[in-house]
């Protein structure tokens, strides 16, 4: 037995006490778990395998360790159910190799009734558009392209006829009746007869409306536009909506494939023109690039994030003279070399041209650039074109004028036959021609059309771009 000393002690609450501590007998301490197994240390486990029912109050709620949460009234607290997160993403129906899956016999019979060839084309295409919309996931860009295409083809989009209608009203209707009542797209029915031409509408959309009216000028949006129209045409062909127009649909799909390639190349050429050589000629001969860069600031560059390319915004007169001399040494005729920097502008005119031939420069010699050659200049090739009328693109011009330009190899590599270039052309007294400004670079299948219901006052009408 031990006895505590009779000294003042702290009672655990910061208060000193003069009373002696009570006597403690070691044999009176009951046997039990060690300190590591006692409640509050480590991971205690009760005899029944459950966590000890220790309680404490936290923020007005009574809780029990290792057990169920209790409210202030002692009743068990209900657990909140985790809300299921909505699934995002998934297929849209516009994937590159998307195909329609097999259909049941009932679905096939229903479609035979929906797209019966004895029905008017206008009725069949309205039902087709409605069902196609329901089977695709749309974003704002795809929807804009698709509705522009419909509007260009004489199909207007409006509000549903039976918004908020009782679903029970549709229980006794077949698929055709439901599609008709819920349709949002309607074909204009003018007094005169119209020709149905899928290829003609696709030409006008992808060569004119998309790049020049909607102003889609990135690779992603141009490819998206081609994909949306090709996807729809594939749906029309697969479901045999209008077999009498199968040839036109096939031609329209081929135009989508051509546009997917040519639209990107047109953008690249438009951004690259006029090129270093023509920029130098414009600077030396009072063109639109003359005087843009002050002599004491050097050459200026502009970075365009949308087209992701570096373009020359101007050139000093000294640099322009070096570029011109180097070009004359490479491709100039004896007369052009003799005139040199004394050459002057004889005429200028705006021209619409069509590419007829592309002549890439010959292989560069190993010694080229070491002597008598401006190291910063690019090898030049030749681009041959003829005059062309964009207002009647399918009508050849009698006795067209043929013109030739020297251009950098990097630009020629992006050109293709029947590419169209609208530009202002200067002609020197030596006969050499050069681009000054370029207003449009368009596809081989270019066709400028407006919606049939467009008014002259519309902002996107043809007159706004003349």
């Amino acid at each position: 037995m031990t006895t505590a000393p009779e000294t003042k002690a702290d009672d655990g609450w910061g208060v000193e006490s003069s009373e002696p501590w009570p006597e403690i007998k070691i044999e009176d301490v009951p046997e039990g778990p060690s300190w590591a197994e006692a409640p509050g240390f480590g991971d205690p486990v009760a005899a029944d395998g459950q966590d000890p029912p220790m309680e404490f109050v936290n923020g007005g709620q009574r809780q029990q360790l290792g057990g169920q949460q209790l409210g202030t009234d002692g009743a068990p607290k209900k657990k909140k159910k985790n809300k299921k997160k909505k699934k995002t993403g998934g297929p849209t129906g516009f994937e590159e190799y998307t195909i329609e899956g097999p259909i049941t016999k009932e679905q096939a019979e229903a479609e035979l009734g929906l797209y019966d060839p004895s029905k008017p084309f206008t009725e069949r295409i309205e039902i087709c558009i409605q069902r196609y919309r329901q089977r695709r996931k749309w974003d704002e860009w795809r929807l804009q392209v698709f509705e522009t295409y419909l509007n260009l083809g004489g199909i207007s989009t409006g509000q549903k006829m039976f918004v908020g209608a009782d679903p029970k009203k549709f229980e006794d209707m077949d698929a055709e009746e439901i599609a008709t009542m819920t349709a949002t797209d309607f074909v204009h029915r003018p007094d005169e007869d119209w020709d149905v031409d899928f290829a003609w509408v696709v030409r006008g959309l992808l060569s004119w409306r998309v790049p020049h009216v909607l102003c889609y000028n990135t690779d992603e949006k141009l490819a998206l536009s081609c994909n949306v129209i090709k996807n729809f045409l594939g749906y029309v062909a697969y479901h045999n909506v209008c077999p009498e127009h199968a040839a036109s649909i096939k031609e329209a799909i081929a135009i989508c494939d051509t546009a997917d390639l040519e639209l990107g190349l047109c953008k690249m050429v438009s951004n690259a023109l006029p090129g270093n050589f023509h920029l130098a000629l414009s600077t030396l001969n009072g063109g639109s690039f003359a005087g843009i860069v002050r002599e004491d600031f050097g050459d200026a560059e502009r970075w365009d994030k949308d087209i992701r390319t570096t373009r020359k915004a101007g050139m000093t007169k000294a640099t322009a003279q070096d570029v011109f001399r180097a070009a004359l040494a490479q491709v100039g005729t004896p007369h052009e070399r003799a005139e040199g920097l004394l050459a002057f502008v004889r005429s200028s005119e705006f021209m619409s041209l069509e590419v007829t031939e592309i002549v890439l420069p010959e292989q560069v010699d190993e010694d080229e650039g070491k002597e008598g050659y401006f190291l910063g200049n690019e090898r030049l090739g030749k681009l041959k074109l003829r005059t062309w009328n964009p207002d009647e693109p399918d009508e050849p011009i009698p006795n067209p004028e043929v013109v030739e330009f020297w251009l950098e190899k990097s630009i020629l590599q992006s050109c293709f036959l029947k590419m169209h270039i609208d530009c202002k052309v200067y002609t020197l007294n030596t006969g050499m021609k050069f681009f000054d400004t370029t207003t449009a670079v368009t596809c081989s299948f270019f066709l400028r059309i407006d919606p049939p219901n467009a008014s002259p006052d519309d902002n996107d009408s043809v007159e706004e771009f003349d």
Side-chain angles (χ1 to χ4, degrees):
M1 183 179 66
T2 59
T3 305
E6 295 183 0
T7 58
K8 293 182 179 181
D10 192 336
D11 61 0
W13 297 93
V15 180
E16 293 183 350
S17 175
S18 59
E19 298 180 359
W21 289 354
E23 294 183 358
I24 301 176
K25 295 182 179 181
I26 296 178
E27 57 268 19
D28 293 337
V29 178
E31 295 183 0
S34 63
W35 65 270
E37 299 173 340
F41 296 90
D43 297 320
V45 179
D48 58 357
Q50 301 296 327
D51 291 338
M54 298 179 64
E55 296 183 0
F56 65 96
V57 176
N58 181 20
Q61 292 184 342
R62 175 172 288 176
Q63 298 182 350
Q64 189 176 27
L65 285 179
Q68 196 174 20
Q69 290 190 350
L70 304 177
T72 55
D73 57 354
K77 184 180 179 183
K78 294 182 179 180
K79 293 183 178 180
K80 294 182 179 179
K81 294 183 179 180
N82 294 328
K83 294 182 179 179
K84 293 183 179 180
K85 295 182 178 179
K86 293 183 180 180
K87 294 182 179 180
T88 57
T92 62
F94 292 102
E95 288 73 21
E96 184 176 1
Y97 298 106
T98 297
I99 59 173
E100 297 290 332
I103 59 178
T104 64
K105 180 180 178 181
E106 291 76 14
Q107 291 173 330
E109 292 176 350
E111 288 200 351
L112 287 175
L114 290 172
Y115 306 128
D116 188 342
S118 63
K119 293 181 178 181
F121 168 77
T122 54
E123 184 177 337
R124 283 177 281 154
I125 199 66
E126 285 176 356
I127 295 174
C128 171
I129 294 170
Q130 178 67 14
R131 292 168 68 86
Y132 176 74
R133 281 183 182 271
Q134 295 172 351
R135 286 160 175 76
R136 296 295 183 270
K137 291 183 179 179
W138 300 90
D139 56 38
E140 59 178 323
W141 302 111
R142 289 187 174 94
L143 192 60
Q144 185 181 38
V145 171
F146 186 61
E147 291 187 348
T148 301
Y149 168 68
L150 296 180
N151 192 25
L152 196 62
I155 299 175
S156 61
T157 301
Q159 191 175 4
K160 293 182 180 180
M161 296 172 59
F162 295 90
V163 176
D166 187 356
K168 293 182 179 179
K169 292 183 179 180
F170 301 106
E171 291 179 356
D172 298 330
M173 296 182 182
D174 57 21
E176 181 178 354
E177 293 173 332
I178 294 174
T180 302
M181 294 186 66
T182 58
T184 59
D185 304 288
F186 308 94
V187 178
H188 292 289
R189 293 176 172 84
D191 296 335
E192 67 275 10
D193 293 332
W194 282 8
D195 293 330
V196 177
D197 193 336
F198 285 88
W200 188 79
V201 177
V202 171
R203 282 181 62 186
L205 176 78
L206 296 180
S207 69
W208 168 245
R209 308 292 294 184
V210 166
H212 300 288
V213 178
L214 297 182
C215 296
Y216 283 10
N217 56 10
T218 64
D219 292 337
E220 181 183 4
K221 289 182 180 179
L222 293 173
L224 177 146
S225 303
C226 299
N227 172 261
V228 169
I229 305 308
K230 184 179 179 180
N231 187 279
F232 171 70
L233 294 171
Y235 181 91
V236 175
Y238 179 82
H239 291 274
N240 204 29
V241 176
C242 44
E244 68 273 24
H245 300 296
S248 181
I249 294 173
K250 184 177 180 180
E251 182 183 355
I253 292 175
I255 291 173
C256 291
D257 292 332
T258 303
D260 198 18
L261 173 65
E262 291 187 359
L263 284 173
L265 293 175
C266 289
K267 185 201 72 170
M268 293 173 63
V269 173
S270 178
N271 293 334
L273 290 176
N276 237 27
F277 174 53
H278 292 252
L279 183 64
L281 286 169
S282 177
T283 302
L284 295 174
N285 293 280
S288 59
F289 291 95
I292 287 182
V293 179
R294 288 176 53 185
E295 296 294 325
D296 53 345
F297 279 104
D299 294 347
E301 290 184 350
R302 177 174 64 84
W303 174 253
D304 192 326
K305 294 182 180 179
D306 290 335
I307 58 178
R308 293 194 174 100
T309 185
T310 304
R311 299 178 62 189
K312 290 287 184 181
M315 184 180 287
T316 64
K317 189 173 182 179
T319 301
Q321 291 173 345
D322 289 338
V323 172
F324 184 53
R325 290 193 189 99
L328 289 179
Q330 180 191 157
V331 299
T333 64
H335 177 51
E336 291 170 342
R337 293 176 185 175
E339 286 288 316
L341 296 174
L342 298 177
F344 58 89
V345 174
R346 186 180 62 194
S347 63
S348 64
E349 60 180 321
F350 182 85
M351 304 182 75
S352 294
L353 303 170
E354 182 180 78
V355 175
T356 58
E357 187 178 354
I358 303 165
V359 182
L360 294 175
E362 297 177 359
Q363 186 68 29
V364 178
D365 298 331
E366 293 182 0
D367 295 335
E368 185 174 327
K370 294 182 180 179
E371 195 172 324
Y373 189 81
F374 180 54
L375 297 177
N377 205 19
E378 192 177 341
R379 191 77 175 173
L380 298 177
K382 185 176 290 187
L383 186 66
K384 298 182 179 181
L385 310 96
R386 65 185 176 192
T387 52
W388 168 77
N389 184 7
D391 294 328
E392 296 181 358
D394 298 329
E395 296 294 331
I397 296 179
N399 302 319
E401 181 183 353
V402 178
V403 296
E404 298 180 355
F405 299 94
W406 293 105
L407 280 174
E408 286 80 1
K409 180 180 179 181
S410 59
I411 301 177
L412 292 174
Q413 288 175 330
S414 298
C415 295
F416 54 86
L417 296 180
K418 293 191 175 181
M419 171 185 275
H420 302 111
I421 302 175
D422 294 343
C423 55
K424 188 173 184 180
V425 177
Y426 283 74
T427 305
L428 300 179
N429 64 311
T430 59
M432 179 178 287
K433 298 179 182 293
F434 65 91
F435 293 113
D436 184 53
T437 54
T438 304
T439 57
V441 179
T442 56
C443 301
S444 61
F445 56 89
F446 178 81
L447 179 64
R448 186 167 63 182
I449 58 176
D450 286 319
N453 58 339
S455 66
D457 296 331
D458 288 345
N459 291 331
D460 58 355
S461 63
V462 173
E463 288 77 4
E464 295 293 330
F465 294 89
D466 286 341

